[in-house]
Amino acid sequence: MTRLVRVPLADQVADVLAERIRAGEWPLGAKLPGETTLALQLGVGRSTVREAIRRLAGRGVLDSRHGAGVYVTALDAPEDWDQVLRRADIVTVIEARTAIEVEAAMLAAERRTPADLRAIRGALLARDESGRSVEDHVDADTALHRAIVVAAHNEVLTEMFDGFTARVRRAMVNMLRLRPVADEKMDQDAHAMLVDAIVARRPHAAAQASREHLSALKAGFA
C-alpha cells in the first residue's frame, strides 16, 4: 500500500523558490522580491513565505539581511534531512547515530562538568524506570544520550543530534515494537558502563562503550 505523506505548505513554497533559483530567475547575489509580492505570486500568506525563506536560509540558499532584504547565496543546496531520512532504513539510522555519539561520548569524558554529571545521572536513572510505553522508553533513552552529547560542549554535535533524533523518533519506536530489547537489564548496564566511563574521565573507554552499545543494536537489524 502506498503511504501518503502530507508535505507542509512552507516546504512546498521552499521547493518552488529553490526551483526558480536553479532555473536562473534569480542569479547568485540577486535580491528576491518582497514577501508580499512572493505571497501574491504563489497564492499563500506572507507567514508561509517567511517560513519558506527561513528554511532555504538554513540550507544556505538564501541570506536574509535585516533591513536590506533576502539575497541568493547559492544556486542549489544539499538534499535536506527529511528527504534523506525518509529513505533511510534502521541500520543506516544507527550508523549515523554512531558517527555522532561515539565522538560525543569521548569528548564528554574529557569536558563534562558537575552540572553535566547531574544531568547524565538523572537521565540514566529515569531511563531505568519500568512499566513505560515504547514511546516513553525511546524518549528516556534519547534524553540520556542527549545529556551525554551536551556534555561534549560542541554546539555542532548537539545541533546534529537534535536535528537527527527529532526526525527518527518514529523509526526508533517502530524498531522497538518489532524487536523489543532482549535483555533490558543488560541494556541498562551497558548504558551505566558508558556513564561510568564519562564520570571517570576515561574518553577511550566511553567511546568504546558507546560504539559497542550501538553496534549491538545494529547487529539486531542487519
Side-chain angles (χ1 to χ4, degrees), residues 90 93 97 138 168-176 217:
I90 196 62
V93 168
R97 282 188 59 185
V138 168
V168 300
R169 178 181 182 274
R170 178 51 50 188
M172 299 302 294
V173 168
N174 292 338
M175 176 190 75
L176 287 177
L217 190 62

Side-chain angles (χ1 to χ4, degrees), residues 71-141:
Y71 292 81
V72 177
T73 52
L75 299 181
D76 206 347
E79 195 172 14
D80 68 26
W81 274 102
D82 290 326
Q83 292 173 336
V84 172
L85 292 174
R86 274 197 290 269
R87 295 197 307 269
D89 59 26
I90 196 62
V91 170
T92 304
V93 168
I94 295 170
E95 288 173 349
R97 282 188 59 185
T98 301
I100 296 170
E101 294 181 36
V102 171
E103 180 67 16
M106 183 169 64
L107 292 174
E110 296 173 347
R111 302 174 179 175
R112 88 295 187 280
T113 65
D116 292 328
L117 292 184
R118 287 193 294 273
I120 291 171
R121 285 168 168 156
L124 178 65
L125 184 62
R127 188 185 184 279
D128 197 29
E129 293 178 2
S130 59
R132 297 168 302 172
S133 66
V134 173
E135 287 86 352
D136 288 343
H137 175 81
V138 168
D139 290 342
D141 182 73

Side-chain angles (χ1 to χ4, degrees), residues 100-101 104-105 108 144-154 157-159 161:
I100 296 170
E101 294 181 36
L144 172 58
H145 287 281
R146 187 181 192 280
I148 292 171
V149 173
V150 168
H153 294 277
N154 181 305
L157 282 178
T158 301
E159 289 187 11
F161 180 88

